[in-house]
Amino acid sequence: MTRQIIVADDHPLFREALKAAVGRLEPGTGFIEADSVAALLAAIEAEPDADLLLLDLNMPGAQGFNALAHVRGSRPELPVAIVSADDDPQTIAAALRYGAQGFISKSTEAAQIGRAVEAVLAGEIYTPPGYHPPRGVPSGDEDLLVARRIADLTPQQFRVLGALCSGQLNKQIAYDLDVSEATVKAHVTAILRKLGVATRTQAVLAAGRLATDRARVRPPPEEAE
């Protein structure tokens, strides 16, 4: 049976490079491309039997490791390999902590990318050559709790959370998702309950715990819940 791999990255040229590197291993491999988290969620829903997700950390809507946490919760059987230019030991360690089965640096040459994908598909944990887990990294128990809570969101709730993190108001979210404002408010209420917080601001700050750069996390505009 032909393998199906989801390639989620907002740079078309890099998606092509990944497809070429993986395609050399198994020429019949099928690819599903996504250039944003919204497109990724649609791809996952459309391809329930996908064999692997190659996930960029910094595409639109990703908010650091939030997309990884959500996918690991909604599709625990789907292996995920992070593909990122942010390849410092702390970022690699965090990716593995949140459930990635592999981490591929964007500076990796094509043949090694292929070997990395083969390793993950074989059930191995892949890290870049020479990687050593950083010493003194905090256990991040609270961050892992947030990740588990984000994993519990439905796909639509995760879309709404992403919109909140982008600073959108309910009416903007309703327009983008083609739903009513009442539906958005219901989703926000459910998000707050599942994240164990009381306000939109607290929800965004909680999600921000999984950002690769917490300094860039900004509270959303205040709005009635």
Side-chain angles (χ1 to χ4, degrees), residues 37-63:
V37 167
L40 166 62
L41 295 177
I44 288 174
E45 291 169 0
E47 297 289 340
D49 297 322
D51 296 286
L52 175 66
L53 167 60
L54 298 175
L55 176 62
D56 182 23
L57 282 179
N58 295 313
M59 64 181 179
Q63 290 107 31

Side-chain angles (χ1 to χ4, degrees), residues 65-66 69-70 73 97-98 142-152 210:
F65 296 103
N66 282 288
H70 178 69
R97 190 164 67 244
Y98 295 128
E142 190 169 343
D143 297 351
L144 288 172
L145 177 60
V146 170
R148 286 194 291 269
R149 289 173 171 173
I150 288 175
D152 193 40
L210 273 61

Side-chain angles (χ1 to χ4, degrees), residues 115-136:
R115 289 191 287 271
V117 168
E118 273 192 326
V120 175
L121 286 170
E124 301 172 21
I125 300 295
Y126 175 85
T127 55
Y131 165 72
H132 297 287
R135 294 183 178 180

Side-chain angles (χ1 to χ4, degrees), residues 71-111:
V71 171
R72 295 301 299 139
S74 62
R75 289 285 303 280
E77 77 288 353
L78 175 64
V80 181
I82 294 297
V83 185
S84 179
D86 297 331
D87 56 3
D88 58 276
Q90 289 76 18
T91 300
I92 297 172
L96 300 178
R97 190 164 67 244
Y98 295 128
Q101 276 88 344
F103 190 103
I104 303 170
S105 171
K106 284 193 172 182
S107 63
T108 303
E109 53 96 19

